[in-house]
Amino acid sequence: MSVEAFALVGGMVFDGNAFHEGPVSVVVRGGVIDEIGSTAPDGVRVVDLGEDACLLPGLIDTHVHLVFDAGVDPVKSVCEASEPELLESMRRAARRAVHAGVTTIRDLGDRDYLSLGLRDELAQDVVAGPEILPAGPPITTPGGHCFFLGGETAPDAESLISAVRERHSRGCSVIKVMASGGNMTPGSLPTEPQFGRELLKVVVDEAHRLGLPVAAHAHGVRSIDDAIAAGVDSIEHASFVGEQGSDPQQGLMEAMAARDVAVSATLGFDPVALAAMLEVMSPGQREQLEAVRAAQDAALQGLFKHGVKVSVGSDAGIAPLKPHDVLPHGLVEMARHGWSPGEVLTAATRDAAKLCGVEGRKGELVTGADADFLVVRGNPVADLERLLDVRAVLRMGHRVR
Ligand SMILES: [Zn+2]
């Protein structure tokens, strides 16, 4: 699928680390970045996107679910759909993501390992979706959070080791484990830990031995504590729910920073879906939503203060508020919690690539990196909402839009 070399030319660049104003030329050859300068070299075809165009690495969403259709009852849909139906819905989700400039996604929970087949399919048809870094079905306790995705595993060391090995041998990029209950599963409580720290450590040790990072779903403070102690690479959600409501424990945040445990913050709402939802909400429901948001604000401010590495994992797919192109809205939201727009962009590119184990290849505009680009109109460091004004998207040097 190689294309002839060309120079992508614009008036600004954010390279994953810093923003530069002034003409920029990025030469793409064979799907990778070959050369970066201020003017296009002679003899190379120029794709000039204009002086007001800013070139960025394609964005990385560190937590999505392609199998969830962002409908009103995604669990029912995923349980009832046939495999071909589910794959078709996942293809639509992937297309929607890449059109927003999300060129890499970490799929943290599918059904029947379907995201692996789709990953291989998209590797042959790069404009049809992002690069997928799949986890397969999340490892969960029998009847535990998201058990219906097929990852139920008995809570003993032997079973957990074989679950990790199976995912590794199938070609998963990350191990996802449910360290607490969640909101989508009846009978499962976000405050309640699953597995406990000793068994989580078994998962982490085996995954790390095989070279795979571990992403732990953890809402409750006890499960966050367990996941940090077990040595996971990222905590997903990190909502800091205590027995009596929000409990953003500063000590746990300090431990995260000290032990280099990252957080995938669950941010981003589709503004149209949000407005529609607010319209029909009762005052009580609104109050509940406000409480959830206030708790999240407190947690994020603490994470910022303690210097914890945070990326945005939108959890795209789990509700109408979260279609698969919602990530840029999550980035705009992150900037309201202390991070500067430049820091948010680094979180969504260079740092997210590191968390996902694809640093150097994704998330930075450097020689040798994959030619995945988001090109927007205007300066995103001055105004992050510029991310929504997409001028072009490229995947492996191929124009998506
Ligand atoms: Zn999720």
Side-chain angles (χ1 to χ4, degrees), residues 63 65 176 237 315:
H63 185 144
H65 300 277
K176 166 80 177 295
H237 314 302
D315 223 356

Side-chain angles (χ1 to χ4, degrees), residues 6-10 24-28 45 47 49 55 373 375 394:
F6 61 92
L8 202 58
V9 170
V24 58
S25 150
V26 182
V27 177
V28 174
R45 182 170 65 94
V47 178
L49 294 164
L55 276 50
F373 297 90
V375 184
L394 289 89

